[in-house]
Amino acid sequence: MTAKIWHPFTQHGLGQPIPEIVRAEGATLFTDDGRAIIDAISSWWVQTHGHCHPTIVAAIQEQSASLDQIIFAGWTHEPAQQLAKGLSDFLPDSLDHIFFSDSGSTAVEVALKMALGYWHNQGHERHRIVVMDHSYHGDTIGAMSVGARGVFNQAYAPLLFDVGSIPFPTEGAEQVTLDALTAFCTNQDNPPAALIIEPLILGAGGMKIYSSKVLAEMYRICRQHDVLFIADEVMTGWGRTGTVFACEQAGITPDILCMAKGLTGGVIPLAVTAASAPIYDAHFSQDRTKMFFHSSSFTANPIACAAANANLQIWRDEPVQLRIDDIITRHKDFARQLSEHNNISAIRQCGTILAFEIDEASGNYMSALGPQLLRFFADRGVLLRPLGNTVYLMPPYCITDVQLSTVYSVVEEAVEHFA
Ligand SMILES: *Cc1c(COP(=O)(O)O)cnc(C)c1O
């Protein structure tokens, strides 16, 4: 008997076709039956410079021929050292301790453990994590615990730990969010260890956008009350919101910053949890019981680090910011064009991400429209995977003008078709 592949976030019982991709280049995917598909969601938000970028391909080839994998507990290697050094040019100065792992979810788990360890090692027991409604931080148990509860994790709900939730700062009601955060931060009986936040835009929760002013204000409240601030930049990092990291737009420096998806240009799994000196120092001791108890087999895999170094090289050598700015300008024009349709709502943009709801006033992940839209787009040669009735674009920065125009016209066709 041949083993069957069990795909993620896929209901096999619906019997929908699962197309096969045999090759990819730039923003184009090629199917086994010879079709070309435009990758308008960066292969699930990871690809930044496009598929099979020669600089990254070469780095992987070269690295895999000289040092492929080595234990990272108590040993080190040049690609990791180079990456830590290179990241300093992109991160705020105070985020100067780099911890490696393999995915966004583990980067978040690491951040939570660092935050709890920070308090524990200093003799304070602080365990409460404050989160924002509609957040998504990954699919492992800890990451699910700090993420939105719902159909995604109903079966596991009894295992998820309690958190303090603040409402999403909808426009006009930002103060409610800030007051809720202040209330948690000033609770003397159960002071929070940390706030974890997706800066500027909540991704999987429906591409919900809030202002940099609110972000800065949440940061100020945490600072004032000595609550650690964790920025989950797994999706927003590496240019998505228009700056390398979203936190830049609020002028804030988190205590801990998580990145993954675009870190290797979206080519191989690698994640970083960057921490400030006080977090590291709380684990620095002659006492072995205070070390940071976390690792995975492939921590800082040299091939993955080489791919990330190549990503940094591309950011230094190529006009990446210009490409991003071009997408931002084109999205703005398209948003204006879309606003003429009356069966869509909440057209919004955060950097290179453009989103809107179709047919209903608000997003609903289980909307039957989702799979229909996906099919509609795929049949027309565009990879888009709406979150229910929330359609969003998140193209790789290498997407050409012509490709972007094609994506826009297919989206507009869908808006008219499903009207
Ligand atoms: C995708 C995502 C994660 C999880 O990353 P994985 O690599 O899929 O584990 C965590 N946080 C945010 C904000 C994400 O978008």
Side-chain angles (χ1 to χ4, degrees), residues 120-379:
H120 177 81
N121 286 349
Q122 298 180 96
H124 305 287
E125 291 308 323
R126 287 203 190 192
H127 300 119
R128 176 183 262 176
I129 307 290
V130 179
V131 308
M132 183 183 280
D133 285 348
H134 305 295
S135 295
Y136 177 80
H137 297 290
D139 278 342
T140 51
I141 297 287
M144 276 194 294
S145 296
V146 293
R149 308 294 160 96
V151 63
F152 312 95
N153 42 44
Q154 234 158 36
Y156 334 110
L159 291 189
L160 305 184
F161 57 76
D162 279 338
V163 293
S165 298
I166 59 173
F168 176 82
T170 43
E171 220 180 316
E174 291 92 346
Q175 198 57 43
V176 181
T177 301
L178 299 175
D179 290 347
L181 179 58
T182 304
F184 280 119
C185 289
T186 52
N187 182 327
Q188 302 300 323
D189 299 328
N190 192 3
L195 167 75
I196 181 165
I197 217 83
E198 291 172 84
L200 298 186
I201 175 165
L202 276 54
M207 299 296 162
K208 293 176 176 297
I209 294 169
Y210 63 93
S211 74
S212 58
K213 231 177 101 201
V214 176
L215 180 58
E217 204 48 28
M218 290 191 296
Y219 178 77
R220 191 193 60 73
I221 293 168
C222 287
R223 271 281 164 283
Q224 185 184 347
H225 299 288
D226 206 15
V227 170
L228 296 176
F229 190 98
I230 303 172
D232 177 354
E233 295 243 21
V234 170
M235 181 189 80
T236 52
W238 300 104
R240 289 294 174 201
T241 69
T243 45
V244 178
F245 294 104
C247 284
E248 292 167 34
Q249 292 179 44
I252 60 168
T253 301
D255 299 292
I256 303 175
L257 184 149
C258 307
M259 65 177 98
K261 294 186 166 117
L263 173 58
T264 59
V267 175
I268 338 187
L270 182 71
V272 155
T273 307
S276 64
I279 308 287
Y280 176 82
D281 291 345
H283 295 84
F284 183 91
S285 164
Q286 300 279 307
D287 179 353
R288 290 180 66 218
T289 67
K290 290 190 170 178
M291 75 169 93
F292 187 48
F293 291 103
H294 192 96
S295 108
S296 57
S297 309
F298 290 104
T299 303
N301 171 266
I303 301 170
C305 289
N309 284 321
N311 168 46
L312 268 51
Q313 197 61 45
I314 292 167
W315 272 89
R316 287 189 202 99
D317 293 350
E318 297 187 20
V320 180
Q321 190 63 49
L322 268 177
R323 292 175 191 147
I324 289 171
D325 293 343
D326 278 349
I327 294 173
I328 291 174
T329 308
R330 293 214 54 199
H331 274 357
K332 272 196 190 125
D333 291 341
F334 182 54
R336 221 169 294 134
Q337 196 174 322
L338 272 179
S339 63
E340 284 159 25
H341 296 268
N342 50 20
N343 63 322
I344 62 175
S345 57
I347 304 165
R348 55 202 184 270
Q349 182 182 359
C350 181
T352 66
I353 305 167
L354 181 72
F356 62 89
E357 267 84 51
I358 197 162
D359 220 22
E360 288 168 55
S362 63
N364 166 17
Y365 186 85
M366 283 297 157
S367 161
L369 209 53
Q372 292 173 39
L373 283 164
L374 186 141
R375 238 349 230 295
F376 183 92
F377 294 132
D379 287 347

